[in-house]
Amino acid sequence: MSSPNLLSILIFIVSAMNEGAAHAHTNNQTTWAKRVEKGNEVITTLQFYFHDIPSGPSPTSVRIAEAAQTNNSSSFFGALVMIDDPLTVGPDQSSKIVGRARGLFGSAGLSEFSLIMAVSYVFTDGMYNGSSFSLLSTNEVMHPTREMAVVGGTGLFRMARGYAIARTYSIESTGVAIAGYNVTIITYVYSDHTHG
Ligand SMILES: *[C@@H]1O[C@H](CO)[C@@H](O)[C@H](O)[C@H]1NC(C)=O
Ligand SMILES: *[C@@H]1O[C@H](CO)[C@@H](O)[C@H](O)[C@H]1NC(C)=O
Ligand SMILES: *[C@@H]1O[C@H](CO)[C@@H](O)[C@H](O)[C@H]1NC(C)=O
Ligand SMILES: *[C@@H]1O[C@H](CO)[C@@H](O)[C@H](O)[C@H]1NC(C)=O
Ligand SMILES: *[C@@H]1O[C@H](CO)[C@@H](O)[C@H](O)[C@H]1NC(C)=O
């Protein structure tokens, strides 16, 4: 005997359980990330600072390859850099670290200084500990602000799509560069609490 009532009660109970799990996350906010649920979607807005440190006693950014022509190019075309750059809550280097940007960027502009970023932003703070998003985009670093594409993610950012707005905060003569990031990511309510 099929009972539509029993079926809808079951669906109700299961979805109520999922809602409960989702709301547990909603109450677990961090200062640098805000999660808002809208229907089936979760909109997360992140605000942090990226520190690229190519010099000094413990660089987090190293040039690993270059083309023979790179030294002749005003835009360093062909240089490839590996990074493990800290991400912090505030612009200060001593500010709390909430994650790291790990990956590669290459100088991809023949005439303009423009990078191609293939970087995973891996978080270590609060409920985002272990979650990451992947960014794959050109980065017109000489522009004061630029937009980059978020193409995926893991953990709470599973199935992420979104964009990052980066704004240069400072560049020192030592090459140390700090950029502010505002990132908007869309995920799904039901994709983020099955970590198996
Ligand atoms: C480019 O210049 C740097 C610094 O002068 C040097 O170390 C490097 O070997 C040069 N690279 C090439 C491919 O000539
Ligand atoms: C660099 O430029 C100089 C001067 O224009 C040229 O003689 C040299 O061949 C160039 N080197 C490379 C690796 O392109
Ligand atoms: C993040 O997770 C790792 C591994 O699960 C754990 O060792 C670490 O203590 C956690 N860090 C924070 C800040 O919760
Ligand atoms: C936030 O969630 C994480 C992981 O789910 C947990 O370790 C942490 O204790 C929670 N923090 C608060 C303030 O509820
Ligand atoms: C990020 O958003 C905040 C608040 O809206 C704003 O003050 C800040 O300038 C933005 N930063 C970037 C890098 O866009």
Side-chain angles (χ1 to χ4, degrees):
M1 187 191 95
S2 85
S3 159
N5 282 344
L6 185 57
L7 188 61
S8 37
I9 288 166
L10 277 176
I11 288 170
F12 175 76
I13 290 171
V14 169
S15 54
M17 285 162 68
N18 284 340
E19 294 278 319
H23 287 148
H25 283 308
T26 313
N27 297 330
N28 188 342
Q29 301 279 14
T30 61
T31 55
W32 54 277
K34 296 278 168 272
R35 253 176 90 84
V36 174
E37 288 178 17
K38 222 173 171 184
N40 254 350
E41 291 184 337
V42 181
I43 301 158
T44 309
T45 48
L46 316 172
Q47 200 177 343
F48 56 80
Y49 288 82
F50 168 102
H51 301 253
D52 190 55
I53 309 164
S55 57
S58 32
T60 62
S61 168
V62 293
R63 192 188 282 202
I64 54 168
E66 63 203 353
Q69 298 87 342
T70 294
N71 281 347
N72 266 7
S73 161
S74 61
S75 63
F76 307 104
F77 185 67
L80 201 53
V81 172
M82 182 76 79
I83 60 168
D84 185 351
D85 284 345
L87 306 173
T88 61
V89 171
D92 205 85
Q93 269 193 55
S94 60
S95 173
K96 183 186 179 188
I97 293 176
V98 296
R100 306 198 73 93
R102 291 187 165 145
L104 291 164
F105 62 74
S107 198
L110 266 175
S111 54
E112 188 190 5
F113 185 43
S114 169
L115 305 177
I116 175 74
M117 311 277 287
V119 177
S120 185
Y121 291 70
V122 186
F123 296 95
T124 49
D125 187 49
M127 69 189 284
Y128 297 98
N129 189 11
S131 295
S132 71
F133 69 78
S134 296
L135 186 146
L136 179 63
S137 221
T138 48
N139 182 357
E140 313 288 355
V141 275
M142 300 317 282
H143 298 188
T145 64
R146 52 269 176 193
E147 178 178 351
M148 295 178 279
V150 171
V151 296
T154 67
L156 285 171
F157 298 126
R158 189 180 278 183
M159 301 184 68
R161 60 202 155 91
Y163 62 94
I165 305 290
R167 189 190 299 266
T168 303
Y169 178 80
S170 63
I171 301 179
E172 291 165 24
S173 55
T174 54
V176 173
I178 301 171
Y181 271 64
N182 280 359
V183 186
T184 301
I185 289 180
I186 295 179
T187 50
Y188 301 95
V189 171
Y190 302 115
S191 63
D192 65 11
H193 42 76
T194 45
H195 287 266

